[in-house]
């Protein structure tokens, strides 16, 4: 739907957006969810971060361009089930 909608619009200028999943998920939850969907036990060792964290957000693409991605937790679990 995103690409079809973009092709119908008149273009002028540029825009930068992140095309990824909807929502947010910490690394621990992503690994645990993936492991659970694969039927294995995750062994996670936490260590102190050396740098500040960051977030990649699809909110601009969602709000401005009608991007409709899958929720990140569902996407991780689906990937595990289909692997």
């Amino acid at each position: 739907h995103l690409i079809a909608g973009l092709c119908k619009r008149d273009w002028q200028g540029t825009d930068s957006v992140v095309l990824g999943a909807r929502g947010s998920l910490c690394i621990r939850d992503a690994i645990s969810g993936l492991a659970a969907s694969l039927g294995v036990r995750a062994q996670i060792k936490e260590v102190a971060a050396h740098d500040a964290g960051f977030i990649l957000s699809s909110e601009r693409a969602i709000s401005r361009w009608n991007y409709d991605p899958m929720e990140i937790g569902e996407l991780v679990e689906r990937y595990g089930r289909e692997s």
Side-chain angles (χ1 to χ4, degrees):
H1 299 288
L2 174 67
I3 301 302
L6 293 176
C7 290
K8 293 177 184 176
R9 294 182 112 164
D10 289 331
W11 281 94
Q12 196 170 29
T14 62
D15 195 3
S16 296
V17 295
V18 174
L19 300 180
R22 181 184 308 274
S24 62
L25 193 63
C26 69
I27 298 299
R28 170 183 277 287
D29 292 343
I31 293 169
S32 296
L34 182 58
S37 63
L38 290 169
V40 299
R41 184 175 172 269
Q43 295 182 6
I44 301 170
K45 179 182 175 185
E46 290 187 41
V47 297
H50 297 290
D51 296 318
F54 60 93
I55 295 174
L56 297 175
S57 174
S58 298
E59 287 306 314
R60 181 173 173 83
I62 292 167
S63 64
R64 182 169 176 149
W65 301 104
N66 298 319
Y67 180 53
D68 188 22
M70 184 181 289
E71 194 277 323
I72 185 65
E74 180 183 345
L75 185 65
V76 168
E77 291 172 13
R78 180 178 172 182
Y79 177 80
R81 286 191 313 269
E82 295 178 359
S83 293

